[in-house]
Amino acid sequence: MGNYLSCHTPENVPNSRYREDDSGDKEPKGESSPEADKKQINDASIDPKDSSPQKFRLQRKKAPSESTVNDNQSSTISRASWDSKGSSSVMHKMKKSQRKNPPTLDMNLGKLEQPIVGCPMSPQLTYIDPARKPPEIKWLKKRPGKHVREWKNLCSGDTYTPEEADLGFQLRCEYTMEGKLYADDSTCVLPAPNPPHKRSWRTHRKAQDQTSSSSYENWRILSWNTLSDQAIHDWHKKCNDHMLAWPYRFRNIKAHIDEQDADILCLQEIDEKHLEDWWKKYLCQDDTYLCQYAGGKKYGCAIFFRRQKFSMVGERSVLFETHLASLMKGPLENWLKNNPEDSKAIAEAKRNLKVHRQGLIFELSPNSSTGTSSRESNLFVATVHLYKSERKSDPYIRLLQIHALLDALQKFTEGVKNPKVVVAGDFNSEPQTCIYEYMEKGEISCEHADLKDSVLLKAFKQLKCPFKFRSSYNAVRGEELVYCRNTNKATPVVEYIWFTPRTDFRANGVLEFPREEIHDFPQVKNISSDHQLLVADFSTNRVVSESQKTAVRRMDTKARGVQGGMSTPRGLGASKKRGGFGPPGKIEGRKEQFTKKCMSFGGGSLNSPRAGAATRGAWGK
């Protein structure tokens, strides 16, 4: 895929020194004579590094006043060089040099992104002068292969959305500026991700017996570690490369998010470079969601909330390193007075805490509670991604990070009696660890098996959680889920949605994992992330009138529907929930043909993990 495939053949170049004879070979204009050949040889210098008499390389001498070669002129090639190297070799080198050194313009044609069926694509043009915008941008396609040279016109426009008929074809974007033709070729068009698997709901037994539950205020919260681009290198050998391309992954991730129709999204491992052009562009379009981001350029967190149901009251980001420094200052000073021999161990442990991770806290006011000024009706939502790596895998690091977040959350909710709190995210800790016990029981002792070697926890003696939490999945199911995350063996989850249970705030239901995905490894093939998504429904005792529910539904249906060429489930009939994915039967047939005739990806066929299940419906039913 070249940045510039400049079509400067000798016929297109003014003052060309070439003509084409009947046989199709190109030769210099004018008559050849020994004197002319001798003069051209004298104008060239032999490369001293190449001593071969048959493969010598001639370099044209530049005039003293000649510093650069005009873009609209071809390089001068001597007859001796043409005869000794051959016309095809010389022309290949000339075209190659033109691709490396394109004409200088006030614009740049960047590489086309990976084309995927249903995903709009456009050339990345950067203009210094808007007046220099190309008058027309053409899109073409052809079958891959060196023997196929004919390009078929598709359309003209700034963007193009590949269709099923383009599957397996190579796309080209080209435009003309100042009489020069510029073009960029893409790789082959890949199939769109398969629709999400069907997920079943597990409802709490008390919620099943509750009468007129639809009249109560309810919220749906989704939490998901979406896999940062910085961490995809671990999966290159386990799945096809096209499954790790960001446009492919985002389309698949968005399809799963749209399917759940959540009111609040707590997302982890969000890259800042994708925030504006992807997450906000497609999730916040038409003011469906509003969001806030916290973190650095990578591994950040974000909370999205539906503006039709909530209004922002306040927010706060918590930098763990800074907050922990203020929390530990007093206890560590007292400990070192009595135990100065632990100074080196404490210094090493404090260095391990220096990781750039942040938590995010929101205070949301339900729109159904208009006219109520009390904060007790508000919902406090926090998301977190606790740090864990091969070099820093000690549990005390994650324990102190979540303690810092909850300490900041306690100060944030100051003045609110028994607040409604939800903490969701990737805790990188299984249910038997000290982090889970700290969240569930409200305190943890330094004598815990995970903390026996931690000097920092000895200074605290005991950590107390400022809230009484319960896992939403444990509250509804009685146990946590399992799935194959890092190996082909199913292990307990490390992601949770914690909430503060109250008589007027409870978890009514949770979303189960699909049977096809629990024991399937790696998860990236199915959901474009190495973590499963969690979804939980919560309800309060506040009764919502039918007029309020109808108004919210009307606003929400208008805001949703089709966003940036991607259809979303809300506002569409059941038969049209496929959106831009298209009928699975046609895609599977074209993919099989594409795999046999065009190319393969080394990691397996192009068929996605569920390609063989042709008997299922559009959404895996």
Side-chain angles (χ1 to χ4, degrees), residues 273-567:
K273 63 181 181 179
H274 298 318
L275 184 63
E276 296 292 338
D277 294 337
W278 293 92
W279 293 106
K280 287 186 177 181
K281 179 179 179 180
Y282 293 107
L283 292 183
C284 299
Q285 192 175 24
D286 298 324
D287 290 336
T288 305
Y289 287 103
L290 299 178
C291 82
Q292 184 67 33
Y293 174 85
K297 294 184 178 180
K298 55 184 180 180
Y299 297 109
C301 295
I303 296 179
F304 294 76
F305 65 92
R306 196 181 296 279
R307 60 176 291 273
Q308 288 80 15
K309 280 199 171 184
F310 298 99
S311 299
M312 168 73 78
V313 178
E315 61 89 15
R316 181 183 176 185
S317 60
V318 183
L319 183 60
F320 297 142
E321 181 181 351
T322 305
H323 200 86
L324 281 175
S326 60
L327 280 178
M328 296 188 301
K329 184 177 180 180
L332 289 181
E333 288 179 355
N334 296 332
W335 178 263
L336 288 175
K337 288 180 181 178
N338 302 323
N339 304 275
E341 66 278 3
D342 292 339
S343 58
K344 292 185 178 180
I346 288 178
E348 178 65 24
K350 290 173 67 176
R351 281 194 293 269
N352 291 335
L353 294 176
K354 293 183 178 181
V355 292
H356 191 75
R357 288 291 172 89
Q358 296 186 34
L360 189 59
I361 303 173
F362 270 22
E363 181 179 0
L364 302 175
S365 174
N367 292 340
S368 58
S369 61
T370 56
T372 303
S373 58
S374 175
R375 296 178 65 194
E376 294 184 1
S377 62
N378 293 349
L379 178 64
F380 297 87
V381 183
T383 186
V384 65
H385 182 200
L386 302 183
Y387 183 86
K388 183 180 180 181
S389 66
E390 295 181 0
R391 188 171 60 90
K392 297 181 179 181
S393 59
D394 296 326
Y396 78 88
I397 299 177
R398 299 186 294 283
L399 178 61
L400 290 177
Q401 286 179 347
I402 190 60
H403 182 68
L405 177 69
L406 297 182
D407 181 76
L409 183 58
Q410 182 186 28
K411 297 176 181 177
F412 190 76
T413 60
E414 188 176 2
V416 182
K417 184 179 179 180
N418 196 12
K420 302 183 184 76
V421 179
V422 172
V423 180
D426 181 4
F427 289 74
N428 271 318
S429 306
E430 295 184 358
Q432 71 275 12
T433 59
C434 61
I435 291 90
Y436 192 94
E437 182 177 335
Y438 168 79
M439 297 290 293
E440 187 178 45
K441 296 184 177 180
E443 61 182 14
I444 191 70
S445 173
C446 62
E447 300 299 326
H448 192 278
D450 292 343
L451 307 174
K452 287 183 178 180
D453 299 330
S454 174
V455 182
L456 294 179
L457 268 297
K458 292 180 181 178
F460 285 96
K461 295 182 180 180
Q462 190 179 38
L463 286 181
K464 290 188 176 182
C465 180
F467 302 96
K468 294 182 179 179
F469 285 108
R470 190 171 185 188
S471 169
S472 57
Y473 275 76
N474 194 3
V476 175
R477 302 181 72 258
E479 61 180 353
E480 303 292 348
L481 290 169
V482 298
Y483 71 98
C484 296
R485 185 176 64 258
N486 296 325
T487 62
N488 53 8
K489 180 180 178 181
T491 56
V493 296
V494 296
E495 313 88 354
Y496 309 98
I497 300 178
W498 299 93
F499 74 104
T500 53
R502 294 173 26 167
T503 56
D504 60 343
F505 185 55
R506 53 195 170 272
N508 287 339
V510 294
L511 192 67
E512 298 278 359
F513 296 163
R515 295 179 180 178
E516 301 89 339
E517 298 178 7
I518 293 179
H519 298 285
D520 193 11
F521 178 80
Q523 297 290 327
V524 179
K525 295 188 300 182
N526 296 307
I527 58 178
S528 296
S529 174
D530 55 347
H531 292 262
Q532 279 285 345
L533 67 152
L534 306 181
V535 184
D537 275 353
F538 299 91
S539 65
T540 68
N541 288 346
R542 183 185 302 277
V543 178
V544 181
S545 64
E546 288 298 325
S547 60
Q548 290 176 323
K549 293 169 63 176
T550 304
V552 170
R553 192 182 303 113
R554 188 183 300 113
M555 292 175 60
D556 200 47
T557 305
K558 182 179 179 181
R560 301 272 288 195
V562 179
Q563 300 182 0
M566 300 185 186
S567 299

Side-chain angles (χ1 to χ4, degrees), residues 568-584:
T568 60
R570 193 176 286 215
L572 297 176
S575 62
K576 294 185 179 181
K577 277 191 175 183
R578 289 188 300 266
F581 295 109

Side-chain angles (χ1 to χ4, degrees), residues 17-21 23 25-30 79 82:
R17 302 178 61 244
Y18 299 91
R19 63 175 175 83
E20 187 172 8
D21 58 13
S23 63
D25 295 329
K26 295 180 176 62
E27 295 184 357
K29 293 180 180 179
R79 174 62 180 268
W82 183 273

